[in-house]
Amino acid sequence: MRLDLLAALNAERLARRACVMVTELESGAQRLVGLDQVDADPLAGAIREALALRRSRLVGEGAKRAFIAVEVPPPRMLVIGAVHISQALAPMARLAGFDLTIIDPRTAFATPERFGDVPVIAEWPDVALPAYGLDPFTALVALTHDPKVDEPALIAALKAGCFYVGALGSRRTHARRVERLQAVGLSPEVIGRIHAPIGIDIGAASPAEIAVAVLAEVIRALRSGVAHAEGVAA
């Protein structure tokens, strides 16, 4: 690989942006294709498909054969709320491959003693999120049930194009949440991206069962190609 391509690839990795490296097999020529360059590439369709599936692939025939190497940032999960569901969710999410962080301004809950080596940030979301850096490859899970804590994070996640945005609460609670989000200018289409009630419907009742339902819904969003779609749109 040429050094300039390697440097560009490392820059994309550092910035947590998806891209592909295309290698033309006959000539050996390589090119790096970022998300903002996909539409103009002659392999645009194949690149979009590979990114959606998060899977490298061989395409074309004869002299036009090329290998598309997919580079997608590892998925992260940001949990708002150091609650009992979070305690159950953290180890399961890590086993599933998510880099998980918890934010909660309530210092009585956001303690290392309750979460071991899981990063816990005892700050309000609007203070902590700029440094964290939400992106389309991050899932945001809001669990505090407190609008003052959850909703600034939900708004930030929707604006950042997070591939999954979910919030704890009943349908009645979410209806009131929708009214507040509309009042600050979010459109029904944008608000409709929030998964609420959160988690797939498995009849979950205990914190551990709710954590299973939430993780399953996040994984479904990740594997459905939503992460790439949001990345292109961002």
Side-chain angles (χ1 to χ4, degrees), residues 5-226:
L5 285 178
L6 179 60
L9 176 60
N10 286 336
E12 294 299 294
R13 288 170 171 164
L14 186 62
R16 287 183 54 83
R17 289 191 292 261
C19 62
V20 300
M21 184 69 72
V22 178
T23 303
E24 298 176 3
L25 298 192
E26 184 171 89
S27 66
Q30 289 185 307
R31 62 181 182 276
L32 184 69
V33 182
L35 289 179
D36 59 346
Q37 301 167 315
V38 172
D39 288 344
D41 195 277
L43 295 177
I47 291 173
R48 285 187 178 280
E49 187 174 354
L51 282 167
L53 296 173
R54 305 166 69 91
R55 191 175 303 159
S56 301
R57 56 173 42 190
L58 190 63
V59 298
E61 296 180 353
K64 295 184 177 179
R65 294 179 77 203
F67 186 72
I68 299 173
V70 173
E71 293 281 342
V72 178
R76 299 185 301 180
M77 185 183 298
L78 180 62
V79 179
I80 307 300
V83 297
H84 289 118
I85 298 172
S86 312
Q87 288 179 297
L89 179 59
M92 291 191 291
R94 278 190 159 184
L95 285 173
F98 290 91
D99 180 5
L100 185 140
T101 298
I102 296 171
I103 292 177
D104 195 325
R106 303 168 300 182
T107 52
F109 298 102
T111 65
E113 291 76 17
R114 299 184 70 232
F115 291 94
D117 60 350
V118 175
V120 178
I121 302 172
E123 290 281 4
W124 290 88
D126 52 356
V127 173
L129 288 179
Y132 178 84
L134 292 169
D135 61 36
F137 302 93
T138 301
L140 183 124
V141 177
L143 299 177
T144 73
H145 235 305
D146 183 341
K148 297 191 303 298
V149 182
D150 285 344
E151 289 176 14
L154 292 172
I155 293 170
L158 292 170
K159 290 181 176 178
C162 289
F163 76 88
Y164 175 90
V165 182
L168 187 68
S170 66
R171 285 181 172 79
R172 179 179 297 181
T173 297
H174 187 59
R176 291 195 293 268
R177 179 186 294 131
V178 168
E179 291 175 357
R180 290 190 294 271
L181 294 178
Q182 287 178 330
V184 297
L186 295 188
S187 70
E189 181 183 9
V190 170
I191 296 170
R193 291 194 52 235
I194 300 174
H195 294 262
I198 197 170
I200 63 172
D201 185 5
I202 57 172
S206 70
E209 291 170 350
I210 295 170
V212 170
V214 171
L215 181 58
E217 193 169 54
V218 171
I219 291 173
R220 182 169 64 185
L222 177 68
R223 296 305 175 194
S224 68
V226 174

